[in-house]
Structures are given as structure tokens and as C-alpha cells.
Amino acid sequence: MIFILASNNSKKLAEMRGILSPLGIELLSQSEAGLSIEVEENGSTFEENSRLKALGACDLVNAPCIADDSGLCVDALGGAPGVYSARYGGESCRSDKDRYELLLRNMEGVTDRRAKFVCVITCVFPNGDSIVSRGECPGEILAAPRGEGGFGYDPVFRPEGETRSMAEMDAGEKNAISHRGRALEKFKAKLREYYADK
Ligand code: IMP
């Protein structure tokens, strides 16, 4: 089964391929599917943005399209950066490192370090059906970055019950506890039910 991932984020693609391939799903990125679209993520929730991205791709191809909208929500910052995680700091932040350094500056002197990663997966089928699943990974913001793995805010996030940052884990360890791994596990169960009903 070929599914299209409504994204060109190679890190997300690799994580999602690792989790979905045992199901016989071949996941193609937007560019591998010949799509060049830039959907405006103007929703105010992960659910809205995930749906916008999946629909944007599904309008153009005759295959199920999956979108992941995800981000980091920090309690002491009122849930920021949240749906703005990829754009945190605007033009002044050009890399993942710039963004997590800004986050650490904004958290200087803050004792409540609680945060969570959130991921919402939406799959839209060409007949208009859709499947939505959400995964969360609670944890805390570290005082300084640690590790080289993963992407985004992984070096400054320590998942609950772990001694290491998310960036100090290998891909399999991260997938087993991450927001994306959890959302995709639920997605896989819903997908099996969906095809069983057909
Ligand atoms: P999106 O492409 O709009 O969903 O942006 C998601 C953003 O949230 C990414 O650019 C990262 O900054 C952050 N993010 C999402 N998932 C992860 C993760 O697994 N690790 C670290 N950062 C993440």
C-alpha cells in the first residue's frame, strides 16, 4: 500500500517509515510523489493543521495522504511554542538550534520545567474518509542541550521517567515513547479496523 506523507521533513519521514513499514505501508514524501505544495498552517490546533496538510495533498493525488502536525508545549510558557514550534522566534531563528536556544533563554530562572510533545496524525483517503490519532509525551525542559540524535527540540527535552534527553536516544528508543510513536501506534490500530470494515 502506498501512502503519501504530506511533508518533506526527512526526519519525520524516517521516523514514520520505521513505524509504518511493518504494516506493509510504503510511505512516500510529497516530493517523491511529485507534489510541490506549501499548505498554509493557519489552524489554531494540531488537529486543524494536521487536517489542512492531509487535505492539501489528498486534493492532488489518488492515494491516502498522511499528515503529522506536532510541537512542544511548555507549561510555564502557557503552552508555547505549541503549534508555532517550527516557526518559534520568527525570522530571527533559522535553525532548530536557534529555536531551542531561544526556548532555553525564555526558560532561564523558571523552576516549573514541565512540558509535553504533542503529535496529531491525520490520514485522508481519496473517498473522503479520514482517521485521526493523537499522541503525547510528557517530560521537562533541560537547562542545557544534550545529545546529537533526533531533531527539533529533542536535545532540550527529557521524557518523563528517563535520565537521557530525547536526542541521546536512538531512533528505536525514541519511537517507543515519543508523541509520534504513540500517535502512530493508535493510528495503526485504527487503520486495521478501517480496512477490516471494508
Ligand atoms: P510541523 O512540521 O509544523 O508539524 O512542525 C513541528 C515542529 O515541532 C518541528 O519543526 C519541531 O520543531 C517540533 N517537533 C515536532 N516533533 C518533534 C520531535 O519529535 N522532536 C523534536 N522536535 C519536534
Side-chain angles (χ1 to χ4, degrees), residues 3-5 7-8 13 17 27-35:
F3 281 55
I4 313 298
L5 177 65
S7 170
N8 286 320
L13 183 69
R17 270 187 181 148
L27 196 59
L28 302 184
S29 69
Q30 266 182 199
S31 54
E32 286 167 337
L35 299 180

Side-chain angles (χ1 to χ4, degrees), residues 45-56:
T45 63
F46 294 109
E47 279 77 5
E48 282 171 10
N49 283 336
S50 176
R51 185 165 182 81
L52 283 171
K53 289 190 272 190
L55 282 173

Side-chain angles (χ1 to χ4, degrees), residues 12 15 41 53 68-71 85-86 96 117 151-154 174 179-180:
K12 274 189 190 178
E15 287 185 8
E41 294 181 37
K53 289 190 272 190
D68 158 317
D69 199 62
S70 44
S85 294
D96 284 348
F117 271 123
F151 69 100
Y153 299 88
D154 283 343
K174 177 179 172 183
H179 49 312
R180 185 164 298 103

